[in-house]
Amino acid sequence: MTEERFETVIIGGGQAGLSVGYHLAAQGREFVILEGGRRVGDNWRVHWDSLRLYTPARYDGLPGMKFPAPRWSFPGKDAMGDFLTAYAERYRLPVRTEARVRRLRRDGDGYRVSLGDGDGELRADNVVVATGTFGREPYVPSFAEELDPGIRRLHSASYRNEAQLRPGPVLVVGASHSGADIAFEAAARHRTVLCGRDTGQIPFRLGSRPMRAVAPLLWLVAGHLLTVRTPIGRKAAAEIRVHGGPLLRVRSADLAAAGVERVTDRMTGVRGGRPVLAGGRVLDVANVVWCTGFRQDFSWIDIPVFREDGWPEESCGIVAASPGLYFAGLSFQRAFSSMLVGGAGRDARIVARHIAARERPTAGRTARTGTPGNAGRRPGAVTAA
């Protein structure tokens, strides 16, 4: 088994991990970024086909690079994946793809990162965990396995388009924005029921003139008012981390116009192989799509820094109980904007500055740095889809 040593290892090559890399490279620090996918940006490409970002392109850039699309357009998921690929190339960030981390543990004053399939180990003074905003482990309730085998079951993580659904009615479980988007799409060819608590909706349409007028104010609120340091921000964080956010692109009126039956009862179990809602109603459906979110699965981190709810005990990504351990890209890591692409850079800068402020380790590393601000620039390298 091979072993390498780095000053900093960043686990995750999405917008958060790349942003941390950008800021570390700007300070001349040594690091490597480990990405489990085959290509940088694959964490976006795996989403359902019709997914578009909920923020306009003017707010979808990363440090040093704007998103190459009209300011008020909403990029698709593949365009976002391509943007991340071009970003890593432009700044020559040292990303290793298909590098899946099996275990992270303390190693003296530093850390040891074990890769899967016997691909070796990495030792580091600092580790940044940037593996996803809400986690990547699809959550489905325990009674899901009791459903009749004839019912097609998909989680939003594996849903791509309506063609995957079997003929017959569809139940979408979970009524945040992803559930609404998928229910709206399914209703074009299927009788569709969307169940789950009402999470509310934004008061205007994405891309509308009212939205454009208030967007700068909303961005200010997302980054400076709804933070972990304000009572209203902490209340919002607790709600969104558990229940998801309000409806965004597809709103209640759109669901009604598409013929989606909207019920606020939760699915509470299974009877005779069929889904049962809280009021006792049994639904005869051919498909169930779980839009029930994801769980933060940090079981691979063998360091006791987690609360009972599974989230790390951190402050703006800094883990005081384990010096040198950081998180990036978590939901409400610093503010509401932390979960948005355009908010990744600010949070990453906080983490990178803290790393740079630590005592500089001795020489003898094997990693190289990126070069933001000079070499590696490739203007026009990205074409938005």
Side-chain angles (χ1 to χ4, degrees):
M1 180 179 292
T2 60
E3 181 181 286
E4 299 175 86
R5 183 170 178 82
F6 297 87
E7 181 180 356
T8 300
V9 170
I10 301 170
I11 303 173
Q15 61 266 18
L18 295 179
S19 295
V20 174
Y22 172 94
H23 287 296
L24 288 178
Q27 298 172 35
R29 314 301 293 199
E30 295 175 312
F31 65 98
V32 67
I33 302 173
L34 305 179
E35 166 56 39
R38 186 173 60 86
R39 296 179 295 167
V40 173
D42 278 355
N43 59 313
W44 280 93
R45 297 184 183 99
V46 297
H47 290 297
W48 65 89
D49 296 345
S50 61
L51 176 67
R52 289 182 291 149
L53 273 67
Y54 298 110
T55 49
R58 67 173 294 184
Y59 296 116
D60 296 334
L62 293 180
M65 187 172 175
K66 295 180 179 180
F67 198 99
R71 287 161 55 85
W72 294 107
S73 65
F74 293 85
K77 52 101 175 181
D78 289 335
M80 187 65 213
D82 293 344
F83 173 66
L84 295 183
T85 299
Y87 186 82
E89 292 175 351
R90 180 176 183 176
Y91 293 115
R92 298 180 182 176
L93 299 178
V95 182
R96 295 187 182 181
T97 55
E98 298 185 285
R100 298 187 177 277
V101 175
R102 176 173 53 86
R103 187 184 180 196
L104 170 62
R105 62 190 187 277
R106 291 296 308 227
D107 181 31
D109 293 334
Y111 297 89
R112 186 178 293 269
V113 180
S114 302
L115 302 180
D117 298 325
D119 292 333
E121 291 193 327
L122 287 67
R123 297 176 62 194
D125 299 287
N126 311 290
V127 171
V128 182
V129 179
T131 53
T133 301
F134 290 96
R136 295 187 179 180
E137 183 67 26
Y139 169 74
V140 295
S142 58
F143 50 72
E145 293 302 317
E146 300 174 25
L147 287 169
D148 188 293
I151 296 177
R152 183 67 191 272
R153 290 164 282 178
L154 295 168
H155 189 274
S156 60
S158 56
Y159 175 84
R160 297 293 175 268
N161 53 59
E162 181 273 338
Q164 292 173 282
L165 301 175
R166 292 177 177 171
V170 178
L171 171 64
V172 178
V173 182
S176 188
H177 45 265
S178 60
D181 285 8
I182 292 175
F184 180 81
E185 181 171 286
R189 295 189 179 183
H190 303 261
R191 182 167 62 84
T192 302
V193 177
L194 173 62
C195 75
R197 66 191 302 273
D198 186 353
T199 58
Q201 62 184 21
I202 60 174
F204 40 72
R205 290 197 173 276
L206 295 182
S208 66
R209 288 187 177 181
M211 190 219 73
R212 296 186 185 190
V214 302
L217 176 60
L218 292 177
W219 191 253
L220 184 68
V221 169
H224 298 279
L225 178 60
L226 295 178
T227 77
V228 294
R229 300 185 184 279
T230 66
I232 189 173
R234 290 191 292 272
K235 181 178 180 180
E239 180 70 12
I240 289 175
R241 279 188 170 185
V242 175
H243 298 298
L247 301 187
L248 299 171
R249 177 165 291 111
V250 174
R251 296 147 56 81
S252 298
D254 301 318
L255 294 171
V260 175
E261 181 185 353
R262 177 70 176 94
V263 294
T264 55
D265 287 338
R266 297 167 52 245
M267 180 179 169
T268 56
V270 177
R271 185 184 306 162
R274 304 297 176 188
V276 180
L277 302 183
R281 179 183 174 188
V282 179
L283 299 178
D284 187 11
V285 297
N287 306 272
V288 172
V289 182
W290 303 105
C291 294
T292 43
F294 298 80
R295 289 187 298 189
Q296 291 285 12
D297 181 9
F298 292 124
S299 59
W300 52 277
I301 300 180
D302 193 15
I303 306 169
V305 295
F306 299 98
R307 305 193 304 254
E308 290 186 3
D309 62 2
W311 289 77
E313 192 67 59
E314 48 78 30
S315 177
C316 294
I318 302 163
V319 182
S322 189
L325 179 62
Y326 303 86
F327 287 82
L330 293 176
S331 171
F332 258 98
Q333 180 166 301
R334 182 193 57 83
F336 183 94
S337 60
S338 296
M339 69 186 76
L340 306 176
V341 174
R346 184 177 180 182
D347 288 8
R349 184 171 66 247
I350 294 172
V351 168
R353 284 179 175 175
H354 197 275
I355 290 174
R358 301 189 74 209
E359 182 179 352
R360 195 177 185 101
T362 58
R365 313 293 183 186
T366 59
R368 63 182 177 87
T369 64
T371 51
N374 41 69
R377 288 190 178 275
R378 297 177 57 202
V382 185
T383 301

PDB file of all heavy atoms in Angstrom, residues 15-24 27 63 128 316 327-329 333-334 338 343-355:
ATOM      1  N   GLN A  15     -18.321  22.310  -5.818  1.00  0.00           N
ATOM      2  CA  GLN A  15     -18.044  23.745  -5.745  1.00  0.00           C
ATOM      3  C   GLN A  15     -17.355  24.147  -4.446  1.00  0.00           C
ATOM      4  O   GLN A  15     -16.491  25.034  -4.437  1.00  0.00           O
ATOM      5  CB  GLN A  15     -19.323  24.563  -5.937  1.00  0.00           C
ATOM      6  CG  GLN A  15     -20.419  24.343  -4.919  1.00  0.00           C
ATOM      7  CD  GLN A  15     -21.425  23.309  -5.372  1.00  0.00           C
ATOM      8  OE1 GLN A  15     -21.153  22.517  -6.283  1.00  0.00           O
ATOM      9  NE2 GLN A  15     -22.607  23.316  -4.770  1.00  0.00           N
ATOM     10  N   ALA A  16     -17.681  23.485  -3.333  1.00  0.00           N
ATOM     11  CA  ALA A  16     -17.058  23.836  -2.059  1.00  0.00           C
ATOM     12  C   ALA A  16     -15.592  23.427  -2.024  1.00  0.00           C
ATOM     13  O   ALA A  16     -14.714  24.212  -1.658  1.00  0.00           O
ATOM     14  CB  ALA A  16     -17.820  23.181  -0.904  1.00  0.00           C
ATOM     15  N   GLY A  17     -15.305  22.180  -2.398  1.00  0.00           N
ATOM     16  CA  GLY A  17     -13.936  21.703  -2.379  1.00  0.00           C
ATOM     17  C   GLY A  17     -13.040  22.465  -3.335  1.00  0.00           C
ATOM     18  O   GLY A  17     -11.896  22.810  -3.009  1.00  0.00           O
ATOM     19  N   LEU A  18     -13.541  22.755  -4.537  1.00  0.00           N
ATOM     20  CA  LEU A  18     -12.753  23.515  -5.508  1.00  0.00           C
ATOM     21  C   LEU A  18     -12.492  24.933  -5.022  1.00  0.00           C
ATOM     22  O   LEU A  18     -11.412  25.491  -5.243  1.00  0.00           O
ATOM     23  CB  LEU A  18     -13.464  23.545  -6.856  1.00  0.00           C
ATOM     24  CG  LEU A  18     -13.638  22.202  -7.574  1.00  0.00           C
ATOM     25  CD1 LEU A  18     -14.391  22.394  -8.879  1.00  0.00           C
ATOM     26  CD2 LEU A  18     -12.295  21.530  -7.834  1.00  0.00           C
ATOM     27  N   SER A  19     -13.484  25.531  -4.360  1.00  0.00           N
ATOM     28  CA  SER A  19     -13.307  26.892  -3.850  1.00  0.00           C
ATOM     29  C   SER A  19     -12.239  26.944  -2.762  1.00  0.00           C
ATOM     30  O   SER A  19     -11.435  27.871  -2.713  1.00  0.00           O
ATOM     31  CB  SER A  19     -14.639  27.432  -3.314  1.00  0.00           C
ATOM     32  OG  SER A  19     -15.587  27.571  -4.348  1.00  0.00           O
ATOM     33  N   VAL A  20     -12.239  25.945  -1.878  1.00  0.00           N
ATOM     34  CA  VAL A  20     -11.170  25.883  -0.868  1.00  0.00           C
ATOM     35  C   VAL A  20      -9.819  25.746  -1.566  1.00  0.00           C
ATOM     36  O   VAL A  20      -8.838  26.413  -1.203  1.00  0.00           O
ATOM     37  CB  VAL A  20     -11.399  24.712   0.108  1.00  0.00           C
ATOM     38  CG1 VAL A  20     -10.210  24.574   1.058  1.00  0.00           C
ATOM     39  CG2 VAL A  20     -12.673  24.928   0.914  1.00  0.00           C
ATOM     40  N   GLY A  21      -9.755  24.904  -2.596  1.00  0.00           N
ATOM     41  CA  GLY A  21      -8.520  24.736  -3.341  1.00  0.00           C
ATOM     42  C   GLY A  21      -8.048  26.034  -3.971  1.00  0.00           C
ATOM     43  O   GLY A  21      -6.846  26.345  -3.961  1.00  0.00           O
ATOM     44  N   TYR A  22      -8.963  26.788  -4.525  1.00  0.00           N
ATOM     45  CA  TYR A  22      -8.627  28.081  -5.130  1.00  0.00           C
ATOM     46  C   TYR A  22      -7.948  28.988  -4.110  1.00  0.00           C
ATOM     47  O   TYR A  22      -6.885  29.581  -4.384  1.00  0.00           O
ATOM     48  CB  TYR A  22      -9.893  28.736  -5.668  1.00  0.00           C
ATOM     49  CG  TYR A  22      -9.698  30.164  -6.143  1.00  0.00           C
ATOM     50  CD1 TYR A  22      -9.428  30.442  -7.482  1.00  0.00           C
ATOM     51  CD2 TYR A  22      -9.798  31.237  -5.259  1.00  0.00           C
ATOM     52  CE1 TYR A  22      -9.252  31.745  -7.921  1.00  0.00           C
ATOM     53  CE2 TYR A  22      -9.624  32.546  -5.683  1.00  0.00           C
ATOM     54  CZ  TYR A  22      -9.348  32.793  -7.019  1.00  0.00           C
ATOM     55  OH  TYR A  22      -9.170  34.089  -7.445  1.00  0.00           O
ATOM     56  N   HIS A  23      -8.543  29.110  -2.939  1.00  0.00           N
ATOM     57  CA  HIS A  23      -8.002  30.019  -1.929  1.00  0.00           C
ATOM     58  C   HIS A  23      -6.673  29.500  -1.361  1.00  0.00           C
ATOM     59  O   HIS A  23      -5.776  30.296  -1.064  1.00  0.00           O
ATOM     60  CB  HIS A  23      -9.021  30.229  -0.819  1.00  0.00           C
ATOM     61  CG  HIS A  23     -10.174  31.090  -1.225  1.00  0.00           C
ATOM     62  ND1 HIS A  23     -10.036  32.408  -1.582  1.00  0.00           N
ATOM     63  CD2 HIS A  23     -11.508  30.809  -1.334  1.00  0.00           C
ATOM     64  CE1 HIS A  23     -11.221  32.920  -1.892  1.00  0.00           C
ATOM     65  NE2 HIS A  23     -12.125  31.971  -1.753  1.00  0.00           N
ATOM     66  N   LEU A  24      -6.538  28.203  -1.195  1.00  0.00           N
ATOM     67  CA  LEU A  24      -5.261  27.665  -0.728  1.00  0.00           C
ATOM     68  C   LEU A  24      -4.161  27.893  -1.761  1.00  0.00           C
ATOM     69  O   LEU A  24      -3.018  28.234  -1.418  1.00  0.00           O
ATOM     70  CB  LEU A  24      -5.392  26.172  -0.424  1.00  0.00           C
ATOM     71  CG  LEU A  24      -6.195  25.787   0.824  1.00  0.00           C
ATOM     72  CD1 LEU A  24      -6.277  24.271   0.943  1.00  0.00           C
ATOM     73  CD2 LEU A  24      -5.585  26.384   2.085  1.00  0.00           C
ATOM     74  N   GLN A  27      -2.673  31.259  -1.798  1.00  0.00           N
ATOM     75  CA  GLN A  27      -1.751  31.501  -0.682  1.00  0.00           C
ATOM     76  C   GLN A  27      -0.486  30.650  -0.786  1.00  0.00           C
ATOM     77  O   GLN A  27       0.350  30.649   0.120  1.00  0.00           O
ATOM     78  CB  GLN A  27      -2.464  31.203   0.641  1.00  0.00           C
ATOM     79  CG  GLN A  27      -3.665  32.095   0.883  1.00  0.00           C
ATOM     80  CD  GLN A  27      -4.476  31.668   2.092  1.00  0.00           C
ATOM     81  OE1 GLN A  27      -3.915  31.195   3.077  1.00  0.00           O
ATOM     82  NE2 GLN A  27      -5.775  31.834   2.025  1.00  0.00           N
ATOM     83  N   PRO A  63     -15.036  31.675  -6.951  1.00  0.00           N
ATOM     84  CA  PRO A  63     -13.988  32.685  -6.801  1.00  0.00           C
ATOM     85  C   PRO A  63     -13.114  32.809  -8.054  1.00  0.00           C
ATOM     86  O   PRO A  63     -12.556  31.822  -8.530  1.00  0.00           O
ATOM     87  CB  PRO A  63     -13.172  32.175  -5.609  1.00  0.00           C
ATOM     88  CG  PRO A  63     -14.136  31.368  -4.820  1.00  0.00           C
ATOM     89  CD  PRO A  63     -15.050  30.729  -5.815  1.00  0.00           C
ATOM     90  N   VAL A 128      -9.998  18.843   4.819  1.00  0.00           N
ATOM     91  CA  VAL A 128     -11.250  19.569   4.609  1.00  0.00           C
ATOM     92  C   VAL A 128     -12.266  18.593   4.028  1.00  0.00           C
ATOM     93  O   VAL A 128     -12.052  18.030   2.954  1.00  0.00           O
ATOM     94  CB  VAL A 128     -11.072  20.756   3.647  1.00  0.00           C
ATOM     95  CG1 VAL A 128     -12.391  21.512   3.484  1.00  0.00           C
ATOM     96  CG2 VAL A 128      -9.973  21.689   4.138  1.00  0.00           C
ATOM     97  N   CYS A 316     -18.378  27.806  11.370  1.00  0.00           N
ATOM     98  CA  CYS A 316     -17.937  28.290  10.052  1.00  0.00           C
ATOM     99  C   CYS A 316     -16.974  27.300   9.393  1.00  0.00           C
ATOM    100  O   CYS A 316     -16.048  27.685   8.676  1.00  0.00           O
ATOM    101  CB  CYS A 316     -17.303  29.669  10.162  1.00  0.00           C
ATOM    102  SG  CYS A 316     -18.469  30.962  10.646  1.00  0.00           S
ATOM    103  N   PHE A 327     -14.753  21.512   7.643  1.00  0.00           N
ATOM    104  CA  PHE A 327     -15.847  21.143   6.747  1.00  0.00           C
ATOM    105  C   PHE A 327     -16.115  22.319   5.827  1.00  0.00           C
ATOM    106  O   PHE A 327     -15.902  23.477   6.194  1.00  0.00           O
ATOM    107  CB  PHE A 327     -17.112  20.779   7.537  1.00  0.00           C
ATOM    108  CG  PHE A 327     -17.017  19.455   8.236  1.00  0.00           C
ATOM    109  CD1 PHE A 327     -16.372  19.346   9.460  1.00  0.00           C
ATOM    110  CD2 PHE A 327     -17.550  18.313   7.666  1.00  0.00           C
ATOM    111  CE1 PHE A 327     -16.258  18.127  10.105  1.00  0.00           C
ATOM    112  CE2 PHE A 327     -17.451  17.081   8.299  1.00  0.00           C
ATOM    113  CZ  PHE A 327     -16.795  16.987   9.514  1.00  0.00           C
ATOM    114  N   ALA A 328     -16.598  22.025   4.624  1.00  0.00           N
ATOM    115  CA  ALA A 328     -16.934  23.070   3.666  1.00  0.00           C
ATOM    116  C   ALA A 328     -18.172  22.653   2.893  1.00  0.00           C
ATOM    117  O   ALA A 328     -18.335  21.483   2.547  1.00  0.00           O
ATOM    118  CB  ALA A 328     -15.772  23.317   2.701  1.00  0.00           C
ATOM    119  N   GLY A 329     -19.040  23.623   2.628  1.00  0.00           N
ATOM    120  CA  GLY A 329     -20.224  23.363   1.808  1.00  0.00           C
ATOM    121  C   GLY A 329     -21.414  22.797   2.537  1.00  0.00           C
ATOM    122  O   GLY A 329     -22.382  22.372   1.907  1.00  0.00           O
ATOM    123  N   GLN A 333     -23.676  26.365   6.919  1.00  0.00           N
ATOM    124  CA  GLN A 333     -22.383  26.328   7.594  1.00  0.00           C
ATOM    125  C   GLN A 333     -22.075  27.687   8.227  1.00  0.00           C
ATOM    126  O   GLN A 333     -21.562  27.771   9.338  1.00  0.00           O
ATOM    127  CB  GLN A 333     -21.291  25.952   6.597  1.00  0.00           C
ATOM    128  CG  GLN A 333     -19.901  25.890   7.212  1.00  0.00           C
ATOM    129  CD  GLN A 333     -18.924  25.205   6.301  1.00  0.00           C
ATOM    130  OE1 GLN A 333     -19.119  24.048   5.925  1.00  0.00           O
ATOM    131  NE2 GLN A 333     -17.856  25.894   5.920  1.00  0.00           N
ATOM    132  N   ARG A 334     -22.389  28.738   7.481  1.00  0.00           N
ATOM    133  CA  ARG A 334     -22.250  30.096   8.012  1.00  0.00           C
ATOM    134  C   ARG A 334     -23.538  30.882   7.862  1.00  0.00           C
ATOM    135  O   ARG A 334     -23.914  31.662   8.719  1.00  0.00           O
ATOM    136  CB  ARG A 334     -21.112  30.829   7.294  1.00  0.00           C
ATOM    137  CG  ARG A 334     -20.827  32.239   7.798  1.00  0.00           C
ATOM    138  CD  ARG A 334     -19.927  32.998   6.856  1.00  0.00           C
ATOM    139  NE  ARG A 334     -20.493  33.068   5.513  1.00  0.00           N
ATOM    140  CZ  ARG A 334     -21.399  33.960   5.133  1.00  0.00           C
ATOM    141  NH1 ARG A 334     -21.846  34.863   5.994  1.00  0.00           N
ATOM    142  NH2 ARG A 334     -21.889  33.951   3.911  1.00  0.00           N
ATOM    143  N   SER A 338     -24.688  29.491   2.293  1.00  0.00           N
ATOM    144  CA  SER A 338     -23.723  28.392   2.291  1.00  0.00           C
ATOM    145  C   SER A 338     -24.171  27.245   1.398  1.00  0.00           C
ATOM    146  O   SER A 338     -23.336  26.497   0.878  1.00  0.00           O
ATOM    147  CB  SER A 338     -23.504  27.873   3.714  1.00  0.00           C
ATOM    148  OG  SER A 338     -22.929  28.854   4.538  1.00  0.00           O
ATOM    149  N   GLY A 343     -22.391  30.993  -2.787  1.00  0.00           N
ATOM    150  CA  GLY A 343     -21.947  31.204  -1.418  1.00  0.00           C
ATOM    151  C   GLY A 343     -20.754  30.357  -1.030  1.00  0.00           C
ATOM    152  O   GLY A 343     -20.190  30.531   0.052  1.00  0.00           O
ATOM    153  N   ALA A 344     -20.352  29.448  -1.915  1.00  0.00           N
ATOM    154  CA  ALA A 344     -19.264  28.522  -1.586  1.00  0.00           C
ATOM    155  C   ALA A 344     -17.938  29.249  -1.386  1.00  0.00           C
ATOM    156  O   ALA A 344     -17.142  28.888  -0.516  1.00  0.00           O
ATOM    157  CB  ALA A 344     -19.117  27.469  -2.685  1.00  0.00           C
ATOM    158  N   GLY A 345     -17.692  30.279  -2.186  1.00  0.00           N
ATOM    159  CA  GLY A 345     -16.401  30.953  -2.135  1.00  0.00           C
ATOM    160  C   GLY A 345     -16.120  31.651  -0.828  1.00  0.00           C
ATOM    161  O   GLY A 345     -14.998  31.586  -0.307  1.00  0.00           O
ATOM    162  N   ARG A 346     -17.132  32.315  -0.292  1.00  0.00           N
ATOM    163  CA  ARG A 346     -16.920  33.042   0.963  1.00  0.00           C
ATOM    164  C   ARG A 346     -16.635  32.090   2.114  1.00  0.00           C
ATOM    165  O   ARG A 346     -15.716  32.314   2.918  1.00  0.00           O
ATOM    166  CB  ARG A 346     -18.148  33.891   1.272  1.00  0.00           C
ATOM    167  CG  ARG A 346     -17.980  34.766   2.501  1.00  0.00           C
ATOM    168  CD  ARG A 346     -19.207  35.633   2.704  1.00  0.00           C
ATOM    169  NE  ARG A 346     -19.054  36.475   3.888  1.00  0.00           N
ATOM    170  CZ  ARG A 346     -19.984  37.299   4.327  1.00  0.00           C
ATOM    171  NH1 ARG A 346     -21.129  37.420   3.666  1.00  0.00           N
ATOM    172  NH2 ARG A 346     -19.801  38.020   5.416  1.00  0.00           N
ATOM    173  N   ASP A 347     -17.395  31.021   2.208  1.00  0.00           N
ATOM    174  CA  ASP A 347     -17.159  30.039   3.266  1.00  0.00           C
ATOM    175  C   ASP A 347     -15.790  29.383   3.097  1.00  0.00           C
ATOM    176  O   ASP A 347     -15.080  29.132   4.072  1.00  0.00           O
ATOM    177  CB  ASP A 347     -18.246  28.967   3.236  1.00  0.00           C
ATOM    178  CG  ASP A 347     -19.592  29.482   3.735  1.00  0.00           C
ATOM    179  OD1 ASP A 347     -19.710  30.698   3.955  1.00  0.00           O
ATOM    180  OD2 ASP A 347     -20.507  28.662   3.888  1.00  0.00           O
ATOM    181  N   ALA A 348     -15.424  29.105   1.841  1.00  0.00           N
ATOM    182  CA  ALA A 348     -14.128  28.470   1.582  1.00  0.00           C
ATOM    183  C   ALA A 348     -12.980  29.390   1.986  1.00  0.00           C
ATOM    184  O   ALA A 348     -11.938  28.919   2.476  1.00  0.00           O
ATOM    185  CB  ALA A 348     -14.018  28.121   0.096  1.00  0.00           C
ATOM    186  N   ARG A 349     -13.156  30.684   1.782  1.00  0.00           N
ATOM    187  CA  ARG A 349     -12.099  31.622   2.153  1.00  0.00           C
ATOM    188  C   ARG A 349     -11.850  31.614   3.653  1.00  0.00           C
ATOM    189  O   ARG A 349     -10.698  31.689   4.109  1.00  0.00           O
ATOM    190  CB  ARG A 349     -12.473  33.028   1.693  1.00  0.00           C
ATOM    191  CG  ARG A 349     -11.380  34.067   1.949  1.00  0.00           C
ATOM    192  CD  ARG A 349     -11.691  35.395   1.298  1.00  0.00           C
ATOM    193  NE  ARG A 349     -12.863  36.031   1.896  1.00  0.00           N
ATOM    194  CZ  ARG A 349     -14.019  36.219   1.267  1.00  0.00           C
ATOM    195  NH1 ARG A 349     -14.159  35.802   0.009  1.00  0.00           N
ATOM    196  NH2 ARG A 349     -15.030  36.806   1.871  1.00  0.00           N
ATOM    197  N   ILE A 350     -12.915  31.478   4.444  1.00  0.00           N
ATOM    198  CA  ILE A 350     -12.768  31.410   5.901  1.00  0.00           C
ATOM    199  C   ILE A 350     -11.935  30.190   6.294  1.00  0.00           C
ATOM    200  O   ILE A 350     -11.015  30.270   7.111  1.00  0.00           O
ATOM    201  CB  ILE A 350     -14.153  31.367   6.577  1.00  0.00           C
ATOM    202  CG1 ILE A 350     -14.905  32.681   6.343  1.00  0.00           C
ATOM    203  CG2 ILE A 350     -14.022  31.088   8.075  1.00  0.00           C
ATOM    204  CD1 ILE A 350     -16.349  32.664   6.809  1.00  0.00           C
ATOM    205  N   VAL A 351     -12.264  29.044   5.693  1.00  0.00           N
ATOM    206  CA  VAL A 351     -11.535  27.813   5.996  1.00  0.00           C
ATOM    207  C   VAL A 351     -10.081  27.932   5.569  1.00  0.00           C
ATOM    208  O   VAL A 351      -9.157  27.577   6.319  1.00  0.00           O
ATOM    209  CB  VAL A 351     -12.219  26.611   5.307  1.00  0.00           C
ATOM    210  CG1 VAL A 351     -11.332  25.370   5.364  1.00  0.00           C
ATOM    211  CG2 VAL A 351     -13.573  26.327   5.956  1.00  0.00           C
ATOM    212  N   ALA A 352      -9.845  28.433   4.352  1.00  0.00           N
ATOM    213  CA  ALA A 352      -8.477  28.523   3.838  1.00  0.00           C
ATOM    214  C   ALA A 352      -7.625  29.471   4.674  1.00  0.00           C
ATOM    215  O   ALA A 352      -6.438  29.203   4.917  1.00  0.00           O
ATOM    216  CB  ALA A 352      -8.501  28.979   2.380  1.00  0.00           C
ATOM    217  N   ARG A 353      -8.206  30.564   5.115  1.00  0.00           N
ATOM    218  CA  ARG A 353      -7.451  31.506   5.954  1.00  0.00           C
ATOM    219  C   ARG A 353      -7.064  30.870   7.283  1.00  0.00           C
ATOM    220  O   ARG A 353      -5.969  31.104   7.805  1.00  0.00           O
ATOM    221  CB  ARG A 353      -8.283  32.765   6.187  1.00  0.00           C
ATOM    222  CG  ARG A 353      -8.326  33.712   4.985  1.00  0.00           C
ATOM    223  CD  ARG A 353      -9.182  34.924   5.286  1.00  0.00           C
ATOM    224  NE  ARG A 353      -9.138  35.893   4.186  1.00  0.00           N
ATOM    225  CZ  ARG A 353      -9.873  37.007   4.153  1.00  0.00           C
ATOM    226  NH1 ARG A 353     -10.705  37.282   5.153  1.00  0.00           N
ATOM    227  NH2 ARG A 353      -9.767  37.836   3.130  1.00  0.00           N
ATOM    228  N   HIS A 354      -7.973  30.072   7.827  1.00  0.00           N
ATOM    229  CA  HIS A 354      -7.670  29.421   9.097  1.00  0.00           C
ATOM    230  C   HIS A 354      -6.537  28.407   8.914  1.00  0.00           C
ATOM    231  O   HIS A 354      -5.645  28.291   9.770  1.00  0.00           O
ATOM    232  CB  HIS A 354      -8.915  28.734   9.646  1.00  0.00           C
ATOM    233  CG  HIS A 354      -8.821  28.380  11.099  1.00  0.00           C
ATOM    234  ND1 HIS A 354      -8.242  27.207  11.524  1.00  0.00           N
ATOM    235  CD2 HIS A 354      -9.204  29.052  12.217  1.00  0.00           C
ATOM    236  CE1 HIS A 354      -8.293  27.156  12.852  1.00  0.00           C
ATOM    237  NE2 HIS A 354      -8.873  28.266  13.299  1.00  0.00           N
ATOM    238  N   ILE A 355      -6.551  27.682   7.798  1.00  0.00           N
ATOM    239  CA  ILE A 355      -5.475  26.738   7.516  1.00  0.00           C
ATOM    240  C   ILE A 355      -4.141  27.477   7.375  1.00  0.00           C
ATOM    241  O   ILE A 355      -3.120  27.071   7.928  1.00  0.00           O
ATOM    242  CB  ILE A 355      -5.783  25.943   6.230  1.00  0.00           C
ATOM    243  CG1 ILE A 355      -6.951  24.979   6.476  1.00  0.00           C
ATOM    244  CG2 ILE A 355      -4.551  25.164   5.752  1.00  0.00           C
ATOM    245  CD1 ILE A 355      -7.426  24.258   5.226  1.00  0.00           C
TER     246      ILE A 355
END
